């Protein structure tokens, strides 16, 4: 087949595709400025060190009756009637990767309303909030969480959105956040609070598909905007060639000022934990970026190139 | 007199106005073409429209870094290709979870003849049978008219890889579309 014939066949195949006009929708989605997380900045940075221990307990003890381990924090506008508690669960967001959009996770400092379960607060933040790391985004837009209940065999999530219209990434964010919180995979049932949308969307991801939907490299610590000094420990999960996780620290100009690599506990079939010490004692105080990446054995010649996950850190 | 004062706030407003203007100009010029490109990549018009819509929103958010129509179009195209790949992968994940088979190829064209519709469905199905990279390279080359260097840029691979995927892909398409290849004057 010559090239002209091939071009003709491709052009012809879609010659009658007349897409709907979506400019109004694109405009309304593009214009609103990003909502900022209320704890981005000083409060989060100050809280990070005290809550770190909570996160470790949280991860190693996947107990379904998980009680939030609470660290009191200064609320910007304390309301005596509403007791605010803060915890640091792992929430999932969408980020760019060479392979396309993938899920990244972030330890997020979140507020628990009085009587609110950790499950409800985590799902609420994923659906109504936004990530701290500016590299991530939420696939949920203008949707409110009505309830999130753990029935034992399923987690039922009721929102203001027609369950049939929930985007795949949006469902993935909730599912992975719930899996991380409960320490096990349960079916997620999305329902709509509006009686006009009676559909229920049953959703789940098999563990074997984690490598398809999750970023192959994830930084758990440091968290975005963390203050570091001396030697700090960076950690996360990765599935990277020969278990090698190259990392580097870049200054604000993007120049590499430190680099090294961590070795994960394994690779190939799932994401494995990695951990490394980073000595920043020789760096001038200021803003830096910690970058962890997957190893690229071909040096960029083949495949989509390495995937990275980054965190802004402040060196004191 | 007052207009001579440039505040940070004022500058931010001008920037966002630029992004809105740019978005609309890009939409008018490329919306239909990019949706068609995405249909060739994902085989479904509804999914294609979602993918391209998301790409436009994302381009608007990056306007400060792109700042020029050519770069913005390259970014749009790259985003459409990446998100199309995600959409296909995600559909596969949902299908595996639901243990159901994938949806049939959905193509419009009520006005066209049966022969036309069969040929068009065959082309979409044949593209769907190719590995991701081969499909992307062929569509960018023969539908979008990109050069090998531009394709290499868009996909983040070497021009050598582009050549390899192009030749393997077109050999496979030739097999899959054998009945339609010789109809030079259809």
């Amino acid at each position: 087949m010559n090239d002209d014939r091939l071009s003709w066949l491709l052009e012809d195949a879609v010659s009658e595709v007349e897409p709907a006009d979506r400019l109004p929708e694109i405009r309304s989605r593009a214009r609103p400025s990003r909502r900022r997380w209320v704890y981005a900045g000083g409060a989060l940075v100050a809280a990070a060190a005290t809550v770190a221990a909570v996160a470790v307990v949280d991860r190693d003890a996947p107990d379904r009756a998980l009680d939030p381990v609470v660290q009191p924090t200064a609320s910007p506008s304390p309301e005596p009637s509403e007791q605010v508690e803060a915890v640091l669960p792992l929430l999932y967001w969408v980020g760019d990767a060479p392979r396309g959009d993938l899920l990244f996770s972030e330890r997020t400092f979140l507020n628990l309303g009085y009587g609110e379960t950790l499950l409800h607060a985590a799902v609420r933040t994923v659906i109504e909030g936004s990530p701290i790391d500016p590299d991530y985004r939420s696939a949920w837009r203008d949707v409110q969480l009505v309830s999130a209940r753990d029935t034992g065999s399923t987690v039922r999530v009721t929102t203001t959105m027609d369950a049939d219209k929930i985007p795949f990434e949006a469902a993935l964010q909730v599912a992975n956040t719930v899996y991380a919180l409960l320490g096990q995979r349960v079916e997620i049932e999305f329902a709509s609070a509006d009686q006009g949308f009676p559909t229920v969307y049953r959703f789940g991801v098999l563990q074997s598909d984690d490598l398809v939907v999750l970023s192959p490299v994830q930084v758990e610590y440091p968290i975005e905007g963390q203050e570091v000094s001396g030697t700090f420990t960076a950690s996360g999960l990765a599935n990277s060639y020969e278990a090698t996780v190259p990392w580097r620290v870049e200054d604000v100009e993007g120049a590499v000022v430190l680099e090294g690599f961590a070795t994960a506990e394994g690779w190939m079939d799932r994401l494995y934990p990695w951990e490394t010490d980073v000595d920043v004692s020789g760096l001038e105080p200021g803003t830096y970026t910690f970058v962890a990446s997957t190893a690229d054995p071909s040096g960029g010649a083949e495949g989509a190139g390495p995937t990275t996950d980054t965190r802004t850190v402040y060196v004191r | 007199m007052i207009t001579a004062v440039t505040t940070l706030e004022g500058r931010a407003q001008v920037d966002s106005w630029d992004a809105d203007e740019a978005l609309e100009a890009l939409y008018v010029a490329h919306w239909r073409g990019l949706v068609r490109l995405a249909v060739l990549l994902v085989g479904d018009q509804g999914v294609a429209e979602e993918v391209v819509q998301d790409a436009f929103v994302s381009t608007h958010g990056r306007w400060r870094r792109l700042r020029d129509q050519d770069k913005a179009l390259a970014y749009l195209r790259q985003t459409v290709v990446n998100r199309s790949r995600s959409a296909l992968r995600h559909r596969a994940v949902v299908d595996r979870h639901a243990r159901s088979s994938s949806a049939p190829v959905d193509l419009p064209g009520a006005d066209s003849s049966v022969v036309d519709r069969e040929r068009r469905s065959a082309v979409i199905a044949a593209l769907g049978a190719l590995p991701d990279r081969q499909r992307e390279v062929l569509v960018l080359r023969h539908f979008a008219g990109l050069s090998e260097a531009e394709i290499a840029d868009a996909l983040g691979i070497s021009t050598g890889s582009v050549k390899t995927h192009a030749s393997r892909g077109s050999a496979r398409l030739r097999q899959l579309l054998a009945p339609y290849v010789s109809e030079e004057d259809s």
Side-chain angles (χ1 to χ4, degrees), chain A residues 285-315:
Chain A
T287 305
Y288 295 86
T289 307
F290 176 79
V291 184
S293 78
T294 52
D296 185 8
S298 76
E302 276 300 323
T307 302
T308 60
D309 194 12
T310 65
R311 292 287 183 266
T312 302
V313 292
Y314 300 109
V315 173

Side-chain angles (χ1 to χ4, degrees), chain A residues 5 21-22 27 31 209, chain B residues 20 24 27 53 96 180:
Chain A
R5 179 66 183 166
D21 180 16
R22 297 213 183 195
R27 269 201 203 112
R31 278 195 183 142
D209 274 328
Chain B
D20 292 348
E24 291 183 17
Y27 179 90
Q53 178 173 334
R96 278 198 290 278
Y180 307 103

Side-chain angles (χ1 to χ4, degrees), chain B residues 92-160:
Chain B
V93 168
V94 169
D95 286 347
R96 278 198 290 278
H97 183 262
R99 292 195 168 78
S100 62
S101 58
S102 61
V105 171
D106 169 28
L107 260 196
D111 297 340
S112 37
S113 73
V114 175
V115 176
D116 283 345
R117 266 181 281 157
E118 274 178 5
R119 183 185 58 245
R120 288 166 188 167
S121 294
V123 170
I124 299 287
L127 285 171
L130 298 179
D132 290 349
R133 284 293 187 216
Q134 291 180 15
R135 175 174 54 250
E136 289 161 7
V137 167
L138 290 183
V139 169
L140 291 176
R141 180 85 195 86
H142 298 290
F143 179 76
L146 265 57
S147 69
E148 282 175 355
E150 287 169 325
I151 297 170
D153 255 8
L155 299 181
I157 57 179
S158 67
T159 50

